[in-house]
Amino acid sequence: MLGAKILSPSRAFVLTSIVALFVFCGSMGYATTHTINFGGNLGNTYSPSSLNMNVGDTIMWVGSFEFHPLRLFAVPSGADSFGPISSGTSFSYVVRVAGEYAYQCDAHFDQGMTGSMNASPSAVGGAEQANAVRFEQNFPNPVQSVTTMHFTLPSDQIVSLKVYNVLGDEVATVTNGRTQAGEHEVKFDASQLPAGHYFLRLEAHATGASPIVIT
């Protein structure tokens, strides 16, 4: 399975900045990616400007941050904020806390360029969620140096988490070995990699079982 060059180009983000940014793509079981477009023909607006989602979903803003620097300025207690994002053409954020979120363009908020999001608790049933291997989108993304990844195991597993380039070549191993059941947070220092698009690949399986692969 490790040699298979099966990537996820639909999750790739295009970088136009020459700043040393690193882009990784991951996925999370039962989660949805919501895209918010801005700028260009839309002018100083976000589309959609209001959004309902579930905890575990990924929000992706797509547009030119050079002209419309993005800031998440209001979040529920315990959630991460960010900003301003002022370079590149896409940015993703994993929602981990239920509640109301608000964001804005720092250059045009006084012209009404703001948006809001309402996150509900995950719609996945308790038993189904408990038996699932979940792999969340890394944050921050794009990455300047260090990025953080979260995954959850329903039982003790043999876990392999590796990084691949767009050609499908393995460039780094984040973790590899037996991992206990529960939630896990791992950090990866990407500062030694060239700027570009990269993909995360998680394999998890009990001893003697076939691996579950999430890319």
Side-chain angles (χ1 to χ4, degrees), residues 91-177:
F91 180 80
S92 62
Y93 177 85
V94 178
V95 178
R96 297 194 177 94
V97 179
E100 297 288 339
Y101 294 74
Y103 59 92
Q104 68 180 32
C105 167
D106 272 6
H108 304 103
F109 68 91
D110 57 346
Q111 300 177 30
M113 193 170 180
T114 62
S116 62
M117 305 180 295
N118 179 46
S120 301
S122 175
V124 179
E128 186 179 25
Q129 190 175 38
N131 292 321
V133 174
R134 294 185 291 119
F135 184 29
E136 301 181 11
Q137 179 73 51
N138 59 294
F139 182 84
N141 188 5
V143 183
Q144 292 182 319
S145 58
V146 177
T147 189
T148 301
M149 291 155 278
H150 296 82
F151 62 90
T152 303
L153 303 175
S155 60
D156 291 359
Q157 304 273 328
I158 304 298
V159 172
S160 171
L161 179 54
K162 298 188 177 185
V163 182
Y164 294 82
N165 62 21
V166 293
L167 299 177
D169 300 318
E170 179 186 325
V171 297
T173 297
V174 181
T175 186
N176 187 26

Side-chain angles (χ1 to χ4, degrees), residues 1-27:
M1 300 298 295
L2 289 178
K5 297 185 179 182
I6 302 175
L7 303 178
S8 305
S10 63
R11 299 294 303 277
F13 308 133
V14 177
L15 295 181
T16 57
S17 172
I18 61 174
V19 178
L21 299 179
F22 306 86
V23 178
F24 296 89
C25 300
S27 62

Side-chain angles (χ1 to χ4, degrees), residues 3 27 33 36 58 69 75 78 81 100 131 136 142 155 166 207 210:
S27 62
T33 297
I36 299 173
T58 296
V75 298
S81 188
E100 297 288 339
N131 292 321
E136 301 181 11
S155 60
V166 293
T207 303
S210 299

Side-chain angles (χ1 to χ4, degrees), residues 20 87 146 178:
S87 64
V146 177
R178 178 173 291 279

